Amino acid sequence: MPTRLPKLPNTVRGKDYLETRDWTDQEIERLLKTSSDLKKAFKAGRPTRYLPDKTVFLFFFDKSTRTRNSFEAGATQLGAHAHFISAETSQAAHGESPKDMGIILSSYGHAIAIRHDLVPGEGNSYMRAVAEHATVPVYNMQCDIDHPFQTLADLMTMREEFGRSLRGRRIAVTWAYAPSYAKPMSVPQGLITLMPRFGLDVVLAHPPEWTLMKEPMAFAQAQAKAHGTSFEVTDDMDEACRGADIVYAKSWGIEELFHKPEEALKLSTRYKNWLCDERRMKLAKKTAIYMHCLPADRNHEVTDAVLDGPQSRVFPEAENRLHTCKAVMALTM
Ligand code: CP
């Protein structure tokens, strides 16, 4: 006799998940609770087939390891099917409009997830255009502005580490050098806009050229003010790490230079010393943890000793991508 699944609330059924700012604190709490319940069920080997016979389309304009695979595995575990679409091999490559994609994919399935993160000014607008015409929920698998599945998993990981209340905890969101490619700005922007809402004091560190977009910066400031937390900016990585509970050191690109990657890369070589190593982790609290959304440029952004060391939480963080992604699908599809 199969165990009856606990009923999920219908409060966010049909809702898009495009940026965390579109969801109230209570709705995000619901996502975190469901993520945690689904994680327990997964660990206990209990089936969670909340979405039998449903289809989610995964529409990728960029590469992925965690996002694609957490969606595909997560959909299977919920009894659904995740259908992968590469932008390059779809008619989007010939200019098919987001409106038509939204209408057509809505008629074939039950949710549309999109990754479009490489060109500042494009990805978020594209997904909002799909969402305007879709009749099913649309999910942001990472755009130019936010990476809401990542930051939800990050928040879950921080609570697992420090408990439900994060008030008074300090997170250093700091740029780090990476020679591989211009990584999107959406993770640091997602962190600075979400974490002040959930009690964390945020310090953002980057070399002068690596500023984030104006609007997320203003939103982060406003959220810190509204929630009685702080949001500071520095160009000193040591200063950011000093006294931190969480060091989230990762690379991102320069908004104006995403179309000139060689120029950005050349400039970034001036800042090779922006590396998260054991010395910098020692500036943080003794109980501090290291986080990174991954993929990391090992021994450029962060040393192996930190990434594989006792303070690193990058693998539980990556694992939580599965549980949070399932929660969003189970509650909205
Ligand atoms: N963190 C993250 O989004 O990983 P992928 O780019 O591999 O999906």
Side-chain angles (χ1 to χ4, degrees), residues 63-67 115 142 147 150 293-295 321:
K63 299 169 182 58
S64 166
T65 301
R66 280 141 293 271
T67 306
R115 168 168 284 194
Q142 188 168 19
H147 192 353
Q150 181 63 53
C293 56
L294 302 180
R321 291 294 308 275

Side-chain angles (χ1 to χ4, degrees), residues 59-86:
F59 190 24
F60 278 91
F61 285 79
D62 190 13
K63 299 169 182 58
S64 166
T65 301
R66 280 141 293 271
T67 306
R68 176 178 176 178
N69 291 295
S70 59
F71 266 92
E72 292 201 10
T76 303
Q77 290 158 23
L78 294 171
H81 172 66
H83 190 100
F84 177 78
I85 310 165
S86 158

